[in-house]
Amino acid sequence: MRKELLFVMALFAASAQAVELNNRMIFNAPQKTLDACIASKLNQHLSMDDAAFNADFYKQLGIEIPTNRDEQSKISKPITKIAKLQKGDIVFFRTAESSALSLSGIVQTTNGKDFTILYCKEGEVKVGNSEYSEFRGNFVHGVHIATDKDLASASTAYANLQKKAANAANDVVKQEGSVKKQEESVSKAEMKVKEKENKIADAESKLNDAESKLKAAEDDAERLRQEAEGYARQIEEANANAQTAVANGKSGSYEKQSKTVAKLMEKQAKAKELATKAQEKIAKAQEGVSKAKEGVTKAELSVNDAKKSLDKEKSSLEKEKLNLEKAVKKSEDLKAELEK
C-alpha cells in the first residue's frame, strides 16, 4: 500500500513538472520541425551522453529541458504504453540486470507496436528499434515534450505577437503625429483668440475716440447755445437803451444802439447757425458711438466664438493624448510579452 501511494505521488509530481513552451525561443530556434531536427542529428559524432543529447535536440527546437536523465524522466506524466508514444517523445530504458534508467533517446517513428529511437551512445548518434535485443523488454516509460503542431502553433503565436507589437509601435507613431497635429490646431486657435482680443482693443479704442468726439461736439454745442443766449441778452439790453434814447430825445444815441443791435443780431444768427451745425456733429458723433459699440459687441462675440473653438481643440488634444497613452501602454505591454 505504501509503495502504491508513493508511486501515485511520484506520478503527480512528474505531471506537475511538464515543460512550458517559450514561443520566442521556438520562433528563433535553428530547427523548426521534429523531422528537420532528427535529420540534422543523424550520423553525428558528439562528446555527450544520451541525456545531454536529448537536451541539445530540444534546444535546437527552442525548448529548454534538464540535461539529467532522471530529471528528464519526470518532465511529464509517464507514458507506459507504446501505443501512446508520439514522434519526439523521450523514451527511457533499463538493463536486464537493473531497474535503474540506463539509456534514453528520441522517438523517431512509431506504428503503435514498436518504435525507432534516435539516441547518442559512446559519442555517436545512432538509430535503434524497440525490438532490438538491447531494447526489447527494457522499455520503462516515455515523456511527452511537444509535437510539430505545438512547435508550429508556438512559432505562429510569436510571429503574430511580433506583428501586433510592430502594429502597436506604428500606432504609437501615428498617434504621436495626431497629437502633434492637434497641438498645432490648439496653437492656431490660441492665435485666433489673441487676434480677436486685439480686435476688441481696437474696437474699444474706436469707441473711446467716438465718445470723445461726441463729448467735444456736445461741449461745442453748449458753448454756442450759451453764446447765442448771451447775444440775446445783449440785444435785449441794446433795444432797451435805444428806446430810452428815443424817450430822452437823443437821436445819436438811438442810432448807435440800433447799430449795436444789428451787429449783435448778426452774431446771434451766426451762433445759431454754428449751434445747428454742432447739433449735426452731435448726431453724427452719436452714430459713430453707436457703430463703435456694435463693433465692440461684435468683437466680444467673435472672441467668445474663438474661445469656444479653442476649448474644443483643447478637448480634442486631451483625447488624442489619452489615445497616445493607451497606444504606448499597449505597445509596451506587447514588447514585454515578446521578451517573456
Side-chain angles (χ1 to χ4, degrees):
M1 179 68 179
R2 179 175 173 78
K3 288 183 178 179
E4 290 177 356
L5 179 60
L6 289 173
F7 180 69
V8 170
M9 290 176 67
L11 286 179
F12 180 82
S15 178
Q17 296 175 32
V19 173
E20 289 186 11
L21 303 186
N22 184 309
N23 295 358
R24 176 169 60 89
M25 291 178 66
I26 291 173
F27 180 85
N28 292 315
Q31 300 297 332
K32 301 301 179 186
T33 66
L34 290 165
D35 282 336
C37 195
I38 289 170
S40 72
K41 295 294 183 185
L42 291 172
N43 302 318
Q44 285 190 352
H45 293 278
L46 305 169
S47 58
M48 58 178 68
D49 65 10
D50 56 298
F53 172 77
N54 297 339
D56 184 66
F57 181 91
Y58 271 101
K59 187 175 182 181
Q60 296 303 302
L61 295 168
I63 301 173
E64 297 282 352
I65 64 172
T67 57
N68 178 278
R69 188 186 301 133
D70 287 335
E71 290 180 12
Q72 288 178 2
S73 71
K74 300 172 185 176
I75 283 175
S76 72
K77 182 178 179 180
I79 304 169
T80 57
K81 293 182 179 179
I82 292 176
K84 298 222 179 241
L85 290 175
Q86 302 178 67
K87 179 170 55 180
D89 288 349
I90 301 177
V91 286
F92 300 90
F93 298 88
R94 65 189 174 191
T95 63
E97 295 78 22
S98 173
S99 61
L101 301 179
S102 61
L103 185 66
S104 63
I106 309 292
V107 174
Q108 183 183 26
T109 62
T110 178
N111 60 16
K113 295 179 182 179
D114 58 71
F115 53 91
T116 57
I117 315 133
L118 185 73
Y119 64 102
C120 185
K121 186 176 182 181
E122 299 173 352
E124 184 180 350
V125 177
K126 301 180 179 183
V127 176
N129 189 286
S130 59
E131 289 300 306
Y132 289 179
S133 59
E134 64 177 314
F135 298 117
R136 189 187 308 118
N138 294 328
F139 171 68
V140 179
H141 71 266
V143 293
H144 180 69
I145 308 295
T147 63
D148 280 335
K149 185 177 180 181
D150 296 329
L151 297 172
S153 295
S155 185
T156 300
Y158 186 76
N160 289 337
L161 189 59
Q162 276 189 318
K163 188 176 180 180
K164 286 181 181 179
N167 290 338
N170 288 333
D171 288 342
V172 170
V173 173
K174 287 180 182 178
Q175 195 56 40
E176 284 175 341
S178 297
V179 168
K180 186 176 180 181
K181 187 176 179 180
Q182 192 57 40
E183 285 175 339
E184 290 173 356
S185 296
V186 169
S187 180
K188 287 179 181 178
E190 288 174 338
M191 287 179 64
K192 278 190 177 181
V193 169
K194 283 188 178 181
E195 288 174 5
K196 301 299 183 183
E197 287 175 341
N198 289 337
K199 285 186 178 181
I200 284 182
D202 291 342
E204 288 176 340
S205 178
K206 287 179 181 179
L207 175 59
N208 290 335
D209 290 343
E211 288 176 339
S212 296
K213 287 179 181 180
L214 174 59
K215 189 172 186 314
E218 288 174 341
D219 290 345
D220 197 30
E222 178 62 20
R223 179 183 61 76
L224 291 169
R225 184 187 66 77
Q226 291 179 2
E227 188 175 321
E229 287 179 354
Y231 287 137
R233 286 193 298 272
Q234 290 179 35
I235 289 170
E236 186 178 348
E237 185 179 342
N239 280 329
N241 290 336
Q243 289 176 1
T244 301
V246 169
N248 294 330
K250 296 179 179 179
S251 58
S253 180
Y254 172 76
E255 291 176 0
K256 183 178 179 182
Q257 291 300 322
S258 295
K259 288 179 181 181
T260 299
V261 168
K263 288 180 180 181
L264 288 171
M265 289 182 72
E266 287 178 6
K267 289 181 178 182
Q268 185 184 41
K270 185 68 175 177
K272 285 182 179 181
E273 183 182 347
L274 292 173
T276 299
K277 289 182 178 180
Q279 290 297 324
E280 291 174 359
K281 284 184 179 181
I282 288 173
K284 191 173 181 179
Q286 286 175 334
E287 185 179 345
V289 168
S290 179
K291 285 183 178 179
K293 285 181 177 179
E294 287 177 4
V296 170
T297 301
K298 188 176 180 180
E300 288 174 342
L301 291 174
S302 183
V303 166
N304 288 337
D305 289 341
K307 285 182 176 179
K308 286 179 182 178
S309 295
L310 175 58
D311 289 341
K312 192 179 291 184
E313 296 295 348
K314 284 183 175 179
S315 178
S316 295
L317 177 58
E318 289 305 313
K319 288 179 181 178
E320 295 295 350
K321 284 183 176 179
L322 183 60
N323 289 337
L324 175 58
E325 287 179 8
K326 290 179 180 178
V328 169
K329 175 76 166 54
K330 182 179 179 180
S331 179
E332 289 177 347
D333 288 346
L334 286 169
K335 284 179 182 176
E337 195 171 343
L338 279 173
E339 292 304 317
K340 277 186 181 179

